[in-house]
């Protein structure tokens, strides 16, 4: 399929999911051997799961945090930095990923809508800490201010994703929407593409397998983000 052209008058919104980090060595969620293989979603990714077994939940996210420190951004992340450098304020990258790899690659205009592995906050006083500030040797690290339990800064199922107002404001002016490496299963993120398209945006998809919301994609490129994106970025800018 021919790569659509974009130019400086466009506003570009990009939504990424676990697929863009796959080539960095982080497993996606919905693979048969995915990260949650040994854990039910309810146990490790809901407020109720945390209430029931905070030690297990902390163990799970500590492992993921340490893993994220060992991997590096890949060519897909880097291609999106290149796009941002060209589009500057006409660009917003919204990621569902919590691994911090976009920021480490150099992306600046990023919203981590599902939170981040790099921080945690107090369940009582809400004070926020970087993971390196707290005592991760403890099964449930305590708040340094009030000593109540900290929790990972992850948006769990049933919780409100971060910075939704900013995302909706950007969706209003989006003329080109790209969805990359996400199965289109989890809302509200899976619905952004429909909203952008309804307002007249052109939509582009880059994914290994056809996503659930593929009916909203005008230009679909099947394959690995790290293979497709560098070439696409070169060719799409007018
Ligand atoms: N390049 C592009 N796409 C890829 C690649 C790759 N190298 N590898 C895998 N994919 C695709 C898969 O085909 C799949 O469609 O990435 C998608 C990953 O889907 P999921 O594992 O469902 O991850 P994601 O869509 O990010 O999940 C959304 O669900 O579990 C919650 O909060 C969690 O943020 C997460 C959200």
């Amino acid at each position: 399929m021919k790569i659509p052209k974009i130019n400086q008058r466009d506003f570009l919104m990009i939504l990424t999911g676990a697929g863009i980090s796959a080539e960095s060595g982080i497993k996606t969620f919905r693979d048969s051997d995915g990260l949650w293989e040994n854990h039910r979603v309810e146990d490790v990714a809901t407020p109720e799961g945390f209430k029931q077994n905070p030690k297990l939940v902390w163990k799970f996210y500590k492992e993921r945090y340490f893993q994220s420190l060992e991997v590096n951004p890949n060519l897909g992340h880097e291609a999106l930095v290149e796009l941002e450098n060209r589009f500057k304020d006409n660009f917003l990258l919204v990621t569902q990923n919590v691994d911090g790899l976009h920021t480490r690659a150099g992306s600046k205009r990023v919203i981590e809508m599902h939170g981040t592995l790099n921080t945690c906050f107090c369940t009582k006083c809400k004070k926020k800490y970087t993971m390196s500030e707290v005592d991760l040797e403890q099964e449930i690290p305590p708040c340094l201010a009030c000593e109540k339990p900290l929790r990972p800064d992850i948006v769990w199922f049933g919780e409100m994703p971060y910075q939704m107002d900013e995302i909706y404001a950007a969706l209003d002016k989006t003329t080109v929407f790209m969805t990359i490496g996400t199965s289109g299963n989890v809302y509200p993120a899976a619905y952004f593409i429909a909203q952008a398209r309804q307002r007249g945006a052109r939509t582009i998809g880059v994914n290994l397998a056809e996503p659930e919301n593929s009916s909203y994609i005008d230009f679909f490129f099947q394959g690995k983000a790290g293979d497709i994106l560098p070439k696409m970025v070169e060719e799409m800018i007018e």
Side-chain angles (χ1 to χ4, degrees):
M1 184 180 282
K2 209 167 163 357
I3 293 174
K5 295 284 182 192
I6 54 177
N7 62 46
Q8 298 299 333
R9 287 185 302 278
D10 281 310
F11 186 98
L12 198 56
M13 186 189 290
I14 312 232
L15 175 72
T16 63
I20 197 160
S21 294
E23 289 155 81
S24 293
I26 295 186
K27 282 184 183 164
T28 57
F29 295 99
R30 288 170 181 80
D31 293 347
S32 55
D33 63 344
L35 262 179
W36 297 2
E37 188 186 14
N38 298 318
H39 299 284
R40 298 185 318 144
V41 169
E42 295 83 348
D43 294 340
V44 293
T46 62
E48 295 75 25
F50 182 67
K51 214 168 170 182
Q52 251 168 26
N53 195 345
K55 287 182 188 169
L56 170 80
V57 174
W58 258 112
K59 182 169 178 288
F60 181 75
Y61 288 101
K62 276 184 213 167
E63 279 167 15
R64 300 188 61 202
Y65 166 66
F66 288 122
Q67 180 199 31
S68 77
L69 298 181
E70 278 167 22
V71 301
N72 291 307
N74 64 56
L75 293 175
H77 297 103
E78 284 167 19
L80 299 187
V81 177
E82 180 67 28
L83 263 187
E84 180 179 354
N85 288 341
R86 307 271 187 111
F87 280 82
K88 307 224 160 35
D89 287 337
N90 284 342
F91 177 97
L92 181 66
L93 173 54
V94 178
T95 187
Q96 299 166 89
N97 298 342
V98 295
D99 54 37
L101 289 179
H102 284 302
T103 312
R104 276 178 47 203
S107 290
K108 301 256 183 312
R109 294 161 181 89
V110 190
I111 290 180
E112 293 174 310
M113 67 177 289
H114 288 171
T116 168
L117 290 168
N118 290 319
T119 54
C120 55
F121 66 91
C122 178
T123 51
K124 175 87 175 156
C125 75
K126 310 296 176 206
K127 193 167 164 23
K128 215 172 233 205
Y129 299 94
T130 62
M131 285 295 208
S132 55
E133 284 175 308
V134 303
D135 182 5
L136 293 178
E137 297 278 304
Q138 303 226 31
E139 288 188 306
I140 305 171
C143 177
L144 303 179
C146 74
E147 293 180 6
K148 290 284 184 277
L150 295 170
R151 60 161 275 182
D153 193 6
I154 302 290
V155 176
W156 288 322
F157 285 96
E159 297 182 320
M160 181 62 84
Y162 291 152
Q163 294 175 264
M164 289 304 290
D165 289 349
E166 283 170 61
I167 294 173
Y168 284 127
L171 268 173
D172 270 341
K173 52 185 180 182
T174 294
T175 60
V176 177
F177 184 96
M178 286 178 78
T179 175
I180 302 166
T182 172
S183 54
N185 261 303
V186 174
Y187 290 84
Y191 196 60
F192 294 161
I193 188 168
Q195 288 167 304
R197 198 160 181 261
Q198 216 169 24
R199 292 167 169 84
R202 288 176 291 159
T203 60
I204 302 169
V206 176
N207 225 64
L208 202 53
E210 195 177 317
E212 288 285 315
N213 54 4
S214 64
S215 61
Y216 298 109
I217 300 176
D218 299 322
F219 304 90
F220 182 58
F221 299 86
Q222 189 158 9
K224 292 184 175 177
D227 290 340
I228 294 174
L229 288 176
K231 187 163 170 276
M232 181 181 257
V233 166
E234 273 314 303
E235 283 187 26
M236 76 195 302
I237 298 167
E238 265 183 344

